[in-house]
Amino acid sequence: MQRTVSLVLEKNKDLYALIILYNRIANVHIQYCLENQTLSKNDLHHLLYKEIRKKYPKFPSALIQCARDHAVEMLKGNKMNVQTKKRLDSSIRFDRRTMKVFLESGTLQLTTHVGRNKYPVKVPVHFQKYFSWEVKSLNLGINKKHCLVKVVVEGKVPEQSRCSEVLGIDLGLRNFAALSDGQIIPSKEINRVKRKYAHLRKELQSKGTRAAKQKLQALAGRERRFMSGWNHNLTKYLASLPYGAFAVEDLKGIRSGRKGKVFNRRRSNWAYAQFRSYLQYKAEEQGKFVLLIDPKYTSQQCKNCLYIAKENRKGKIFHCQKCNYISDADTNASKNISRRGSKIFFEQAVVNQPYISNYEALLRLEKIHISAA
Ligand SMILES: [Zn+2]
């Protein structure tokens, strides 16, 4: 299991110069690859290495190799796109020969064109758990104010959880989430904060001054951080519940426009995408799984008798036209999600990746009859 530790370094002239040099060297490689239609690291080394050493004698040779590999990967990733060019201020990569990271003492040791130097860095408390993990690679970037460091660390995959129950989670607008154990996570608080920011935004936009624009930006940052904090807390709570897997609707596979306005709004909402990715992250740390299930008819199907009809759902209320089962509409949907998730979970006794269900197979399994209406 790999995790990324993001750190901030004070801006440093030498590091800035190093980034530019590295990217120039990467671009020399990119140009050569494109002109000669080759991605052979060996060819590149033989033809360019000496020339580059001559031109940049102080640039560390191990970093030339990093830049070369970086260039080759970029071209592999975009299928030799002729427009490829690395931006001179884009982030650069160090490998184990060119860096050492001491998370516990907050020190980075980097090989640069001005020698092997140590840089102090502040490591936030929540990264403490990675102190014993193995450092795999390091990325160094810059923005207007700081140097940004991303350290990739690797630790053991946690033992698989022994729980076999699956919690269904229905994400929605009225309720942020409804859980198949009957719990409702209301979105009242989110809506209140969103309204507050929308109001402030409107006021600032009408002013249109430069100061107002700056404030608008800060506002956007605050709103983002609020949502991120909310998602962190909620997913942390969910992951700690005694379930072996969490089932959520897979909204990616659905073609747009198929489920109407509300559904599309849900799908495009980044807060839900963030929720899923945080949940995945936190579940994985506990040896649990996130299952993505087909969202078709989850809100129209009766969790009791599996009968599907549009008329079953009337706003907040679910009322089965066949067996008379009555429930909160979102809770009913979350129970369908849980049941579909359980099927996937048991079919795939050993799952190590989120699994996307096949709707046709599901129909066969449940012997569902869709109402003609
Ligand atoms: Zn029913």
Side-chain angles (χ1 to χ4, degrees), residues 301-307 312 318-325:
Q301 185 174 30
C302 171
K303 78 104 191 161
N304 214 19
C305 71
L306 308 186
Y307 174 71
N312 281 351
F318 184 91
H319 182 185
C320 179
Q321 302 299 301
K322 199 170 167 194
C323 76
N324 257 331
Y325 171 74

Side-chain angles (χ1 to χ4, degrees), residues 47-63:
L47 286 149
L48 296 176
Y49 181 74
K50 271 188 189 154
E51 192 189 314
I52 290 170
R53 289 268 19 195
K54 222 160 118 191
K55 202 169 167 193
Y56 308 101
K58 285 188 178 156
F59 196 83
S61 68
L63 265 193

